[in-house]
Amino acid sequence: MSVGQAIPTMVGEPPDDELQQRFLYEMLLIRRFEEKCAEMYTRGKIRGFLHLYTGEEACAVGAINALRDDDKIVTHYRDHGHALARGVEPNRIMAELFARVGGTNEGRGGSMHIFDVSRNFLGGYAIVAGHMPIATGLGLAANLSDEDWAALCIFGDGGVGEGEFHEALNLAAIWKLPVVWFCENNGYGMGVPFDDSLANDVYKIAASYQMPSVRIDGMDVLEVYSATQLALAHVREGNGPYFIEALTYRYRGHSMADPELYRTKAEVEEYRQRDAIQRLKRSMIADGLIDEPTYQALVAQVDAEVDEAVAFADASPEPGLHTLYDHITKEYEGESG
Amino acid sequence: MTEMRMRDAIREAMREEMLRDERVFLMGEDIGAYGGSYACTRGLLDEFGPERVRDTPISESGIVGAGVGAALAGFIPMVEIMTINFSLVALDQIVNNASKLHYMSGGQVNVPLVLRMASGGGSQLGATHSHSLEGMFAHFPGLTVVCPAFPGDAKGLLKRSFREPNPVVFIEHTALYGARGEVPDDPDHLVEFGQAATVRSGKDVTLVGYSGSVHQCYRAADMLAEEHGLTADVIDLRTIRPLDMSSVIRSVRRTNRAVVVEDDWKFGGFAGEIAAQIMERAFDWLDAPVARVAGKDVPMPYNRNLEYAALPSEEDVVEAVLSML
């Protein structure tokens, strides 16, 4: 695929039936989890900033399912969906949002900073584009260790205006590092429309760093999966980084505090008509992979999991005040690393 | 023991740690073929090759962040930021990422990253190139801040920094790179963090410094002895986070007077932290308020006479001591 090509044709391994079932399940899990989060936020169970991922599910599910277990992910602060797609337990994510000891980060991180090292999920980062140089460093580590794992860096279109975007891409390009840059372009940097923010299209800006750069439909999970597979194959072969701009849309405001004065309800409705979950559901029904009753059963299963996550989080204790100073630094035991 | 210049002791520390541990690698602007702006990495490219001694573009935020990422993936990177002035464009990586990831992740990850940078004024480089920001870094929980004054300590502290599982900001004073001193030959010689050194003993006043200001304290102690018949304890903090206040407090309880010296601006500076802790822990032993001798509250001027006036001097230290008698 050439540099700067806009919409790729479908390539790579087409997802088999089982994988499509998984995509549907994971997108539904994210959707219902996030809707539950909104409810828990209004009930005061979740505090701080809460950025919900509804509408963008196809990005996380398509991209992350293309990874191997030993690939590493860093992402931005709208990170629940990515964590769920990576297999981080919903119970532990919800407990983190509830700020409890059973949370992924023992209640120290919150919504924007989910970590799960056991899944090579190396964090949500809340300073826009601040994690992009870290992805470069992960790619550098992969190269220095002569291993063929790759780094996936997920960020939003808002990150493209930051200097760290450009430094990170440039370093990855000159050092030919195995990093897949995955831009979730949801059209707005908080409330400022994309068109008022950048002098060029995202994938064209990235292409100027001499890496393959494609724009894809981020509301089509099959396309996201295929494009990411292709990107991973490219970076694993030592060809340097690869850039994907996925066009997507968030249904809710930037955060729960957003009054959404900058867009119309009609616009949101327009995108809801293109919903990734409904799209996959329709095609799976057409292919005879599911029918309406099995779909409803899946929704019920997901809802039960989300309810279980809430129950788990609620039952988990708050961290004791005596643990305030835990984890400021790792203890030195006379060994390095 | 071998007599060495500061820059050679620093290079030797990096060299020994690279030989000892394959996970250690270096990156920074002009650290390879150029040998480093202050010649601290000269020869290391030839010995270790471009993978482990990596020249980078001028992208401080990018390379510090890449250091954080490589550290997360099991390496022990040393990133040289040419001077502390340029660390200001990498603060997001240092403050938001390196210092916090262990805590924020609930202890899941740690960042064994060494950041070396040159600090200090006095070379007529003007306001943007003459900062002393040691105290700013000491402000952030999660960082260790090392400020050696002598080559032997620099080597032992830098080697210790490579063994540390957390980020270390290792700050070298530009005026000291050529300073000579005795350096232990033992490759296992480490200097532990949070242990100040009493480099001179006396009974009339405690002079506290770190990095370049230790030498001003030392010269002031000479002047006090020769011209005024007074003797001073001179305490070299060596690391300012962790901070060895116990050594300072023990000394002040004996001398009953203290002067804290630093190049950084006095207003909101680190000397104020030390003065406050002395007040909290040794108030009843003090015969005079703790004095601070520090940089004047101006952007560093280019003119030589003005720059000299803006920096603390040994004469200022002597004057501060005499005014509290």
Side-chain angles (χ1 to χ4, degrees):
Chain A
M1 195 174 307
S2 63
V3 170
Q5 182 175 336
I7 305 290
T9 47
M10 290 280 284
V11 281
E13 287 293 309
D16 61 21
D17 299 354
E18 196 181 325
L19 208 47
Q20 291 193 47
Q21 297 275 10
R22 187 152 110 204
F23 291 170
L24 188 64
Y25 160 75
E26 289 182 359
M27 289 199 293
L28 270 172
L29 177 63
I30 294 169
R31 175 73 51 91
R32 308 296 275 201
F33 187 94
E34 295 291 67
E35 286 169 352
K36 185 61 79 175
C37 285
E39 182 192 330
M40 291 297 122
Y41 183 86
T42 52
R43 285 172 52 186
K45 292 282 190 181
I46 298 173
R47 309 301 296 261
F49 287 135
L50 181 66
H51 308 86
L52 298 178
Y53 194 66
T54 48
E56 305 187 30
E57 293 90 345
C59 290
V61 171
I64 291 170
N65 273 291
L67 296 177
R68 292 193 327 219
D69 287 348
D70 61 343
D71 293 329
K72 298 185 195 299
I73 306 177
V74 285
T75 185
H76 52 82
Y77 49 82
R78 196 181 303 282
D79 59 356
H80 312 169
H82 308 123
L84 288 166
R86 189 54 168 174
V88 180
E89 292 164 53
N91 290 8
R92 298 186 61 226
I93 300 171
M94 191 64 84
E96 185 60 29
L97 305 182
F98 278 41
R100 306 300 174 88
V101 291
T104 47
N105 310 26
E106 299 179 8
R108 267 124 181 110
S111 166
M112 302 190 284
H113 308 119
I114 304 292
F115 269 75
D116 188 347
V117 170
S118 70
R119 305 274 174 186
N120 275 318
F121 190 79
L122 297 181
Y125 292 78
I127 303 296
V128 173
H131 61 303
M132 297 188 70
I134 292 181
T136 298
L138 294 172
L140 180 58
N143 265 14
L144 286 173
S145 55
D146 277 332
E147 292 168 5
D148 74 341
W149 55 267
L152 174 68
C153 181
I154 304 169
F155 54 96
D157 50 293
V160 181
E162 292 277 10
E164 290 182 312
F165 169 95
H166 299 272
E167 295 191 23
L169 259 64
N170 182 56
L171 289 172
I174 61 172
W175 293 338
K176 288 196 177 305
L177 303 179
V179 182
V180 174
W181 304 105
F182 192 96
C183 178
E184 295 177 334
N185 183 352
N186 66 17
Y188 293 92
M190 271 190 74
V192 177
F194 168 77
D195 287 342
D196 296 346
S197 303
L198 290 169
N200 203 345
D201 288 327
V202 174
Y203 74 97
K204 290 177 185 167
I205 292 172
S208 77
Y209 289 101
Q210 301 302 308
M211 62 183 80
S213 181
V214 297
R215 173 183 273 179
I216 63 171
D217 182 353
M219 301 191 66
D220 179 349
V221 68
L222 305 182
E223 180 164 320
V224 173
Y225 175 77
S226 296
T228 312
Q229 266 199 325
L230 189 78
L232 285 162
H234 173 91
V235 306
R236 275 194 227 289
E237 284 162 14
N239 300 314
Y242 194 108
F243 194 97
I244 297 171
E245 177 191 5
L247 299 177
T248 184
Y249 198 78
R250 62 170 156 70
Y251 294 164
R252 302 190 69 106
H254 166 73
S255 75
M256 291 297 285
D258 178 1
E260 295 188 67
L261 303 175
Y262 50 85
R263 65 181 185 184
T264 61
K265 286 196 166 66
E267 180 184 297
V268 180
E269 195 45 47
E270 186 189 322
Y271 277 94
R272 281 185 183 274
Q273 295 305 313
R274 294 172 46 195
D275 185 74
I277 296 175
Q278 294 309 312
R279 180 172 178 167
L280 180 62
K281 176 190 168 190
R282 280 195 303 271
S283 86
M284 287 176 74
I285 287 176
D287 290 346
L289 298 179
I290 54 165
D291 54 23
E292 188 63 32
T294 54
Y295 176 78
Q296 292 305 331
L298 192 61
V299 172
Q301 181 198 331
V302 162
D303 282 348
E305 275 188 70
V306 171
D307 287 343
E308 155 62 21
V310 169
F312 175 87
D314 231 358
S316 179
E318 302 234 7
L321 293 181
H322 65 282
T323 67
L324 176 64
Y325 291 95
D326 288 1
H327 310 309
I328 296 173
T329 52
K330 186 177 179 184
E331 198 164 340
Y332 170 61
E333 292 162 346
E335 291 297 319
S336 45
Chain B
M1 290 283 197
T2 305
E3 192 186 89
M4 258 186 220
R5 291 181 190 275
M6 178 77 95
R7 63 164 58 87
D8 301 322
I10 288 167
R11 181 189 313 116
E12 197 52 26
M14 292 189 281
R15 191 177 161 271
E16 286 179 8
E17 292 303 296
M18 290 180 82
L19 289 170
R20 188 186 68 86
D21 191 331
E22 284 187 343
R23 297 173 297 171
V24 175
F25 73 96
L26 318 180
M27 60 179 162
E29 296 153 10
D30 275 313
I31 68 164
Y34 193 102
S37 269
Y38 295 95
C40 291
T41 51
R42 186 170 292 165
L44 296 182
L45 174 63
D46 288 342
E47 185 171 355
F48 295 100
E51 290 276 285
R52 293 184 75 195
V53 181
R54 182 173 293 258
D55 269 326
T56 73
I58 302 168
S59 301
E60 288 82 5
S61 197
I63 62 175
V64 174
V68 173
L72 289 177
F75 283 85
I76 305 172
M78 188 289 297
V79 177
E80 179 176 308
I81 300 175
M82 195 178 288
T83 81
I84 201 166
N85 309 291
F86 315 146
S87 74
L88 295 174
V89 295
L91 275 187
D92 176 44
Q93 292 303 326
I94 302 170
V95 175
N96 279 314
N97 289 337
S99 79
K100 293 185 172 68
L101 291 185
H102 186 64
Y103 192 88
M104 220 160 55
S105 69
Q108 290 185 71
V109 300
N110 62 299
V111 182
L113 171 68
V114 181
L115 297 173
R116 285 183 43 250
M117 54 187 81
S119 175
S123 305
Q124 286 193 266
L125 299 178
T128 62
H129 279 55
S130 303
H131 286 102
S132 299
L133 300 171
E134 291 85 348
M136 177 189 73
F137 286 112
H139 186 60
F140 302 112
L143 294 181
T144 289
V145 182
V146 183
C147 315
F150 300 101
D153 285 344
K155 186 184 173 195
L157 286 163
L158 185 51
K159 285 171 65 68
R160 171 64 180 82
S161 300
F162 280 104
R163 321 277 178 109
E164 173 66 20
N166 304 294
V168 176
V169 181
F170 192 95
I171 302 174
E172 302 153 10
H173 199 294
T174 52
L176 297 180
Y177 279 122
R180 291 175 181 279
E182 293 291 319
V183 176
D185 298 316
D186 178 4
D188 291 322
H189 172 75
L190 305 178
V191 175
E192 196 42 60
F193 297 151
Q195 294 183 1
T198 302
V199 297
R200 190 173 173 135
S201 295
K203 60 179 178 51
D204 299 308
V205 65
T206 300
L207 307 179
V208 182
Y210 60 86
S211 189
S213 67
V214 173
H215 297 269
Q216 284 154 344
C217 292
Y218 206 88
R219 288 193 294 270
D222 278 344
M223 292 165 67
L224 287 166
E226 288 162 18
E227 298 165 23
H228 304 282
L230 299 168
T231 61
D233 260 6
V234 175
I235 295 181
D236 172 5
L237 294 171
R238 301 202 288 194
T239 65
I240 60 172
R241 190 180 191 116
L243 176 63
D244 177 9
M245 272 312 288
S246 297
S247 293
V248 176
I249 296 299
R250 267 198 307 277
S251 172
V252 172
R253 287 181 180 178
R254 208 162 37 73
T255 64
N256 311 113
R257 295 175 190 89
V259 180
V260 188
V261 187
E262 68 177 341
D263 288 0
D264 196 7
W265 292 297
K266 188 176 193 174
F267 187 95
F270 192 74
E273 173 66 30
I274 299 174
Q277 291 204 34
I278 293 172
M279 186 270 289
E280 288 164 353
R281 294 172 61 182
F283 184 78
D284 290 339
W285 283 265
L286 288 174
D287 287 346
V290 176
R292 289 175 291 161
V293 174
K296 304 297 187 294
D297 236 349
V298 295
M300 193 66 77
Y302 164 59
N303 175 273
R304 186 167 177 238
N305 295 329
L306 292 178
E307 182 178 41
Y308 187 78
L311 285 166
S313 68
E314 43 268 38
E315 288 84 4
D316 295 337
V317 179
V318 170
E319 197 180 309
V321 172
L322 296 180
S323 73
M324 57 173 58
L325 292 173

